[in-house]
Amino acid sequence: MSPQRSSRPQPRRNQSAMASFENLVALANHQERLREARKMVWRDRGEPVAEIDGWRECVVHAASGGFRSGGLAFIIRACVNIVLAAIRIHRVPRDLRFSVIRHAIFGTDTWRFATMLGTFTSVYKFLLNALPLLIPAINPAPSPLLPARADPKPHLSAHAQLAMVRKRTRRWHAALAGLLAGGLAIGCEKRNRRGIIAQQMFVRGLQGSYNAYTTKRGIHVPHGDVLVFSLACGQILYGFLLRPDSLPRSYTNWIGQAAKVPRECVRMNFALFRSGTCNPGDIDALLRAPGTTPSNYMDLLRLRDRLFPSVAQGVYIPNYAPCSAIHPLISSCLSVPLDRFFAVSKWMLPIYGALHIVPAVLFKREAFTRDPGSVLLRASLGAGRSSAFLGVFVVIYQTLNCFKHQLHHALTTLSAPSTSASPLLLSLLRLLPRALLPSQWLADLLVSRASFWIPGFMAGLALFIEEKRRRAELAMYVLPKGLESVWRTARGRGWVRGGWGGDRALTALGMAMVMSAYQNDPQHLSGFVRRILYQFIGPN
C-alpha cells in the first residue's frame, strides 16, 4: 500500500496561479491603456470611417479632430525646435540656455504651427462631413471605403492599401473643404513663412492632379520626375547667379557651400553681368585667400587692372566671374571635376546618412529588430548613392560653366597674340577653317542669360543616379524653390501681386487639389504626403 501524498502545498499553488492570472490581467489592462494613449497621438492603419448622421456629431467630430491635430503639431514642432536649439546651445551663454529651451518649446512659432494645423483640420472635417448633411440629395453612393474601388494601385503593399481607407465623397466636397480650410489656416502662420507653405502645398496638389489625370488618360511621360527636377534646377541656379533676390538668403548660402564656390565669386558674377564691373574688394579678397594658385592669382590681378577706367579700349573684360574666381585653389579646369566630386560627396555624406539611417530605424522597427545589419547596410548604401548624386550634380554644372566661359574667351580673343584663354581650346579653334568659326553674336550666346539656365537644367540629369523611388520626392522638394524664384521675379517686375491675396490663394488652390486627391485617389499622392495627412485628418 503506497503512502498518501500530502495535500498541504495545494492552496499555495492555487494562490500562485491566481496571482499569476491577476498579473496577466493587470499587464493586459496596462498594455490596453498604452494602446489607447498611443491612439490619441498616432493613428493606427485602417482606422474605420466615422459615421456622421447629425449636426451635433459633425461639430464634435471636427472639434475633437482639430484639438488632436493641434496637439500633435505642437509636439512635432517643439521636438524639431529642441533639436535645432540643442545643436547651437553650446554657443549660447549659460544664463540664457533655459530661456532658449523654453522658447523652443513654448515660443510663438510652435503655437502658430499648432494653431494652423488645428484650424485646418477642424474646418476641413466640419465642411467635409457637413456638406452631405446640407445637400443630402446628392449624397454619394454607399461605398464608404476607398479600397473597394476597382482601380487601386496594384503595386501598393497590403499595409499601404490598409492605410488608404478613406470616406468616399464627391470630389467638389473635398476640394471646397480643402480650399476654405487652407485659405483660412494659412493666416495663422507668419507672413514670411506663408509663401514657402503655399508653394509646397501647390506643388503637392499639382502632383496629385497630374498623376490622376495621366492615369485616367493613359498618358505616360518617361522620366517625368527627372524632367521636373531639371526644370526647377535650371531656374534655381539661374536665380542663384543672376537673381539672388528671388531665392531665400539661407538657400543661396547653402547652394554656395554645396558648390564650394567663394561668396566673392558669386557677387563678382552678378555685378559683372549686370554692369560690366565689380567691387575690387571682392577680387582683393580672392587674392588674399590662402591657397590661391599663382596662375589664378595672376589672372585675377589682370582682371583687377583691366577694370580701371584708364585701361586701353579693346582689352577683353568678361561679363562673368572667370574660372580663376570660381576655383581659385585649382589652376586647371580639367582638375576641378574630380576634386568637386569628392569634396561635395564627403560634405553631404553625414547629412544624407542621417536622412537615410534615422527613418530606417524609426519607421521600420520590425525589419530593424529582425535584421539590423541588412537595414543599416541598405541605408548606408542609399546615403552613399545620394551623396554621389549631389557630387555629380555639382560636377556637371561647374564643368559646363567653365567650358562655356573658356570657349567664349577663346572665340573672342582668337586673333590676339597673347591671351589667358585655355591654350588647348585656342589650339583646337585655330585648326578650324575661318568659315566654320561662329560669328561674335553666336559666341555671345555662351554668356547670355539663357547660358546660366541651361547648365542647371543639364545638371538635373544627375538625378538618374538616385534611387527611382526617391526621384519624385527630390523633384517635389526643388520645384517649390524654382516656383518661388519665378514668383519673386514676377512680383519684382510687377506681373503679379503678392501679400494677403497671393499666398492665401495659392495655399487654398493647392489644398483643394491635395484634399480632393486624398479623399478619392490617395494613391496618386506621394507616400510621405499620404502618411502625414492620415495622421492629421484620418479617414474623414
Side-chain angles (χ1 to χ4, degrees), residues 183-198:
L184 180 64
I186 193 64
C188 301
E189 265 292 357
K190 293 181 178 178
R191 288 185 179 273
N192 60 352
R193 287 188 51 81
R194 293 177 191 174
I196 299 173
I197 297 173

Side-chain angles (χ1 to χ4, degrees), residues 137-447:
I138 58 173
N139 249 339
S143 177
L145 302 186
L146 185 68
R149 296 186 68 180
D151 59 343
K153 285 282 186 180
H155 63 271
L156 292 177
S157 64
H159 285 296
Q161 293 285 354
L162 184 63
M164 288 200 305
V165 175
R166 304 286 186 274
K167 179 181 179 180
R168 288 285 302 279
T169 65
R170 297 277 181 176
R171 287 188 177 275
W172 73 270
H173 285 188
L176 180 61
L179 181 96
L180 297 177
L184 180 64
I186 193 64
C188 301
E189 265 292 357
K190 293 181 178 178
R191 288 185 179 273
N192 60 352
R193 287 188 51 81
R194 293 177 191 174
I196 299 173
I197 297 173
Q199 292 152 12
Q200 187 63 239
M201 295 301 101
F202 183 69
V203 299
R204 295 295 180 176
L206 286 179
Q207 181 187 26
S209 301
Y210 172 80
N211 289 340
Y213 179 81
T214 54
T215 301
K216 182 178 179 180
R217 302 289 181 179
I219 302 172
H220 174 66
V221 179
H223 306 299
D225 44 12
V226 179
L227 178 61
V228 171
F229 182 83
S230 297
L231 290 170
C233 287
Q235 177 60 36
I236 289 171
L237 291 174
Y238 171 85
F240 171 67
L241 292 175
L242 298 186
R243 287 300 302 264
D245 59 313
S246 68
L247 293 171
R249 181 175 297 180
S250 59
Y251 194 57
T252 57
N253 291 339
W254 184 88
I255 294 175
Q257 292 177 357
K260 308 302 179 187
V261 175
R263 294 182 180 180
E264 295 82 4
C265 171
V266 179
R267 292 197 295 263
M268 284 175 57
N269 187 85
F270 177 77
L272 285 167
F273 187 86
R274 292 281 182 172
S275 59
T277 185
C278 69
N279 184 2
D282 290 332
I283 302 179
D284 293 338
L286 293 174
L287 291 172
R288 292 192 304 265
T292 300
T293 63
S295 59
N296 286 337
Y297 185 92
M298 295 303 300
D299 188 64
L300 290 169
L301 196 59
R302 283 193 297 267
L303 176 62
R304 193 185 190 285
D305 293 337
R306 290 171 186 170
L307 290 174
F308 285 98
S310 59
V311 72
Q313 296 297 319
V315 177
Y316 178 77
I317 299 178
N319 62 338
Y320 52 82
C323 295
S324 54
I326 297 174
H327 45 83
L329 307 184
I330 303 174
S331 298
S332 174
C333 296
L334 298 177
S335 303
V336 172
L338 193 62
D339 175 84
R340 289 291 189 266
F341 175 79
F342 284 107
V344 174
S345 299
K346 181 181 177 181
W347 179 67
M348 286 300 300
L349 188 59
I351 301 173
Y352 275 125
L355 292 177
H356 281 266
I357 294 175
V358 173
V361 174
L362 292 180
F363 300 121
K364 297 181 180 179
R365 287 175 294 178
E366 295 181 2
F368 179 73
T369 304
R370 186 170 55 252
D371 189 1
S374 178
V375 172
L376 291 176
L377 179 61
R378 287 197 300 269
S380 300
L381 292 176
R385 191 172 182 176
S386 297
S387 302
F389 143 70
L390 194 62
V392 172
F393 181 95
V394 174
V395 166
I396 293 175
Y397 186 82
Q398 292 204 4
T399 300
L400 292 177
N401 212 39
C402 286
F403 175 76
K404 71 184 185 71
H405 290 170
Q406 291 283 2
L407 183 58
H408 179 266
H409 191 176
L411 289 171
T412 304
T413 60
L414 187 59
S415 58
S418 176
T419 179
S420 59
S422 169
L424 178 61
L425 276 177
L426 283 173
S427 301
L428 292 176
L429 290 174
R430 284 168 178 163
L431 292 176
L432 295 176
R434 192 71 180 177
L436 295 180
L437 293 176
S439 57
Q440 187 59 43
W441 73 270
L442 285 175
D444 289 341
L445 291 178
L446 294 169
V447 292

